[in-house]
Amino acid sequence: MTKLNILAFSGSLRAHSYNTGLIRAAAQLAGDQMQITLVDISSFPLYNQDMESHFPAELTQLKQQIREADGILFATPEFNRSIPGGLKNMLDWTSRPYGDNPWAGKPVATMGAGGLVGTALAQYHLKQILLYLDARIMGQPEFYVSGTKEKFDEQGNLTDEKTTEKIVKLLTHLRTFIES
Ligand SMILES: Cc1cc2nc3c(=O)[nH]c(=O)nc-3n(C[C@H](O)[C@H](O)[C@H](O)COP(=O)(O)O)c2cc1C
């Protein structure tokens, strides 16, 4: 079985983030099936169209990584019923310049942890953006985690068995989705 190359993004910049914890757990659970690589989005400049003529090298590199990936995995918190600004900033940068879009046709799965609704609204906003960017969005299984204090330790490591099983299921579906 070929090892799939999955690029992962966490919407949280917090050191002990539950969402980054979900990505860490997924990377461990993927075993020999997938190489899941977390991208650090925290140091990208704020998007400014004036900078496009001197496109930041790290974002040109990220666009290439997205192109080369077999699939993408997002874990996002919900901020004010949407996605955090850092994630939107990354999506805005990588969608530019117009016509040079690495997201087109890219298989994408989303998950999220936090709040009472388990990031449902944030993930729908994320999917809305990704749909516009012409990504191939995996609709099922949906993946929402609430009650985070009981499911992660203080370092943001996942400790909950049921959520672990949900990740395994999501990764299995993602593999099938990529290969279909
Ligand atoms: C600026 C801000 C806005 C937030 N807005 C929401 C929200 O709209 N809905 C929600 O369920 N939780 C909201 N929260 C709570 C986050 O879901 C919670 O802090 C979550 O644990 C953050 O994810 P992380 O652990 O990966 O950093 C908000 C938190 C912050 C800091």
Side-chain angles (χ1 to χ4, degrees):
M1 200 185 279
T2 49
K3 198 166 189 172
L4 296 178
N5 168 21
I6 307 294
L7 213 54
F9 296 92
S10 168
S12 176
L13 310 185
R14 202 163 72 83
H16 298 150
S17 155
Y18 301 133
N19 286 280
T20 309
L22 285 180
I23 300 283
R24 269 199 310 278
Q28 282 166 11
L29 294 163
D32 291 339
Q33 297 218 11
M34 295 174 171
Q35 177 69 46
I36 298 182
T37 308
L38 177 66
V39 177
D40 178 8
I41 64 167
S42 67
S43 59
F44 298 147
L46 283 181
Y47 174 78
N48 177 343
Q49 198 166 0
D50 292 338
M51 290 171 72
E52 276 196 21
S53 52
H54 298 91
F55 209 87
E58 65 270 34
L59 283 143
T60 302
Q61 194 192 331
L62 176 58
K63 288 182 71 173
Q64 188 56 28
Q65 279 179 281
I66 295 168
R67 278 203 176 84
E68 287 169 5
D70 296 307
I72 310 286
L73 181 62
F74 284 94
T76 186
E78 184 167 294
F79 278 8
N80 299 309
R81 295 287 183 245
S82 186
I83 61 170
L87 201 53
K88 180 64 163 57
N89 186 52
M90 181 281 292
L91 288 163
D92 288 343
W93 267 118
T94 52
S95 72
R96 299 296 298 176
Y98 184 75
D100 182 12
N101 172 20
W103 295 100
K106 194 60 62 180
V108 174
T110 71
M111 34 184 201
L116 287 176
V117 292
T119 76
L121 289 143
Q123 287 190 59
Y124 265 80
H125 260 184
L126 177 59
K127 285 173 177 166
Q128 197 178 324
I129 296 162
L130 291 166
L131 183 64
Y132 173 70
L133 293 176
D134 206 18
R136 231 184 112 217
I137 300 159
M138 190 171 84
Q140 296 291 336
E142 292 185 310
F143 191 106
Y144 308 124
V145 185
S146 54
T148 41
K149 282 215 169 104
E150 288 83 50
K151 295 174 181 165
F152 294 83
D153 67 18
E154 285 180 3
Q155 275 68 49
N157 296 307
L158 181 64
T159 53
D160 182 60
E161 206 174 308
K162 280 202 171 138
T163 308
T164 304
E165 285 166 14
K166 275 170 62 178
I167 294 179
V168 172
K169 190 173 161 196
L170 183 103
L171 295 179
T172 305
H173 274 74
L174 180 58
R175 176 160 202 119
T176 307
F177 185 70
I178 289 169
E179 290 174 344
S180 64

